[in-house]
mmCIF file of all heavy atoms in Angstrom:
data_model
loop_
_atom_site.group_PDB
_atom_site.id
_atom_site.type_symbol
_atom_site.label_atom_id
_atom_site.label_comp_id
_atom_site.label_asym_id
_atom_site.label_seq_id
_atom_site.Cartn_x
_atom_site.Cartn_y
_atom_site.Cartn_z
ATOM 1 N N ARG O 251 4.828 48.798 -19.277
ATOM 2 C CA ARG O 251 5.420 48.021 -20.387
ATOM 3 C C ARG O 251 4.585 48.146 -21.590
ATOM 4 O O ARG O 251 5.035 48.328 -22.721
ATOM 5 C CB ARG O 251 5.609 46.544 -19.984
ATOM 6 C CG ARG O 251 6.778 46.250 -19.071
ATOM 7 C CD ARG O 251 6.690 44.884 -18.423
ATOM 8 N NE ARG O 251 6.531 43.837 -19.427
ATOM 9 C CZ ARG O 251 7.579 43.380 -20.179
ATOM 10 N NH1 ARG O 251 8.744 43.824 -20.026
ATOM 11 N NH2 ARG O 251 7.307 42.439 -21.083
ATOM 12 N N LEU O 252 3.256 48.012 -21.413
ATOM 13 C CA LEU O 252 2.301 48.134 -22.530
ATOM 14 C C LEU O 252 2.456 49.501 -23.184
ATOM 15 O O LEU O 252 2.412 49.698 -24.370
ATOM 16 C CB LEU O 252 0.865 47.955 -22.046
ATOM 17 C CG LEU O 252 0.378 46.472 -21.996
ATOM 18 C CD1 LEU O 252 -1.079 46.513 -21.551
ATOM 19 C CD2 LEU O 252 0.546 45.793 -23.351
ATOM 20 N N ALA O 253 2.571 50.556 -22.318
ATOM 21 C CA ALA O 253 2.728 51.929 -22.790
ATOM 22 C C ALA O 253 3.900 52.058 -23.714
ATOM 23 O O ALA O 253 3.857 52.678 -24.785
ATOM 24 C CB ALA O 253 2.781 52.944 -21.636
ATOM 25 N N TRP O 254 5.017 51.497 -23.270
ATOM 26 C CA TRP O 254 6.259 51.538 -24.064
ATOM 27 C C TRP O 254 6.046 50.837 -25.411
ATOM 28 O O TRP O 254 6.466 51.312 -26.469
ATOM 29 C CB TRP O 254 7.431 50.978 -23.316
ATOM 30 C CG TRP O 254 8.030 51.848 -22.262
ATOM 31 C CD1 TRP O 254 8.035 51.661 -20.947
ATOM 32 C CD2 TRP O 254 8.785 53.075 -22.485
ATOM 33 N NE1 TRP O 254 8.638 52.701 -20.293
ATOM 34 C CE2 TRP O 254 9.107 53.591 -21.187
ATOM 35 C CE3 TRP O 254 9.124 53.814 -23.634
ATOM 36 C CZ2 TRP O 254 9.831 54.747 -21.012
ATOM 37 C CZ3 TRP O 254 9.800 54.989 -23.463
ATOM 38 C CH2 TRP O 254 10.151 55.423 -22.139
ATOM 39 N N ALA O 255 5.462 49.666 -25.310
ATOM 40 C CA ALA O 255 5.180 48.930 -26.593
ATOM 41 C C ALA O 255 4.312 49.730 -27.492
ATOM 42 O O ALA O 255 4.582 49.878 -28.697
ATOM 43 C CB ALA O 255 4.566 47.575 -26.207
ATOM 44 N N GLY O 256 3.296 50.368 -26.926
ATOM 45 C CA GLY O 256 2.410 51.216 -27.707
ATOM 46 C C GLY O 256 3.156 52.342 -28.350
ATOM 47 O O GLY O 256 3.013 52.658 -29.548
ATOM 48 N N ALA O 257 4.093 52.952 -27.523
ATOM 49 C CA ALA O 257 4.848 54.048 -28.117
ATOM 50 C C ALA O 257 5.717 53.626 -29.272
ATOM 51 O O ALA O 257 5.772 54.307 -30.304
ATOM 52 C CB ALA O 257 5.746 54.628 -27.020
ATOM 53 N N LEU O 258 6.286 52.426 -29.125
ATOM 54 C CA LEU O 258 7.130 51.899 -30.185
ATOM 55 C C LEU O 258 6.334 51.736 -31.460
ATOM 56 O O LEU O 258 6.708 52.127 -32.571
ATOM 57 C CB LEU O 258 7.794 50.606 -29.813
ATOM 58 C CG LEU O 258 8.667 49.947 -30.883
ATOM 59 C CD1 LEU O 258 9.854 50.860 -31.217
ATOM 60 C CD2 LEU O 258 9.166 48.599 -30.369
ATOM 61 N N VAL O 259 5.202 51.103 -31.331
ATOM 62 C CA VAL O 259 4.325 50.832 -32.507
ATOM 63 C C VAL O 259 3.830 52.176 -33.105
ATOM 64 O O VAL O 259 3.986 52.387 -34.316
ATOM 65 C CB VAL O 259 3.094 49.994 -32.124
ATOM 66 C CG1 VAL O 259 2.123 49.840 -33.305
ATOM 67 C CG2 VAL O 259 3.582 48.608 -31.671
ATOM 68 N N LEU O 260 3.375 53.075 -32.286
ATOM 69 C CA LEU O 260 2.880 54.370 -32.768
ATOM 70 C C LEU O 260 4.016 55.103 -33.490
ATOM 71 O O LEU O 260 3.776 55.659 -34.603
ATOM 72 C CB LEU O 260 2.384 55.198 -31.579
ATOM 73 C CG LEU O 260 1.548 56.448 -31.888
ATOM 74 C CD1 LEU O 260 0.385 56.102 -32.756
ATOM 75 C CD2 LEU O 260 1.108 57.125 -30.611
ATOM 76 N N VAL O 261 5.157 55.181 -32.905
ATOM 77 C CA VAL O 261 6.252 55.913 -33.526
ATOM 78 C C VAL O 261 6.641 55.290 -34.829
ATOM 79 O O VAL O 261 6.932 55.992 -35.862
ATOM 80 C CB VAL O 261 7.443 56.040 -32.537
ATOM 81 C CG1 VAL O 261 8.706 56.479 -33.321
ATOM 82 C CG2 VAL O 261 7.140 57.059 -31.458
ATOM 83 N N THR O 262 6.666 53.966 -34.846
ATOM 84 C CA THR O 262 7.038 53.277 -36.098
ATOM 85 C C THR O 262 6.065 53.598 -37.145
ATOM 86 O O THR O 262 6.447 53.902 -38.298
ATOM 87 C CB THR O 262 7.055 51.753 -35.877
ATOM 88 O OG1 THR O 262 7.842 51.482 -34.721
ATOM 89 C CG2 THR O 262 7.609 51.018 -37.037
ATOM 90 N N VAL O 263 4.704 53.543 -36.821
ATOM 91 C CA VAL O 263 3.680 53.810 -37.847
ATOM 92 C C VAL O 263 3.860 55.261 -38.335
ATOM 93 O O VAL O 263 3.878 55.526 -39.526
ATOM 94 C CB VAL O 263 2.309 53.604 -37.246
ATOM 95 C CG1 VAL O 263 1.258 54.191 -38.177
ATOM 96 C CG2 VAL O 263 2.080 52.147 -36.981
#
Side-chain angles (χ1 to χ4, degrees):
Chain O
R251 285 166 51 79
L252 275 182
W254 282 111
L258 179 62
V259 172
L260 192 58
V261 165
T262 309
V263 169

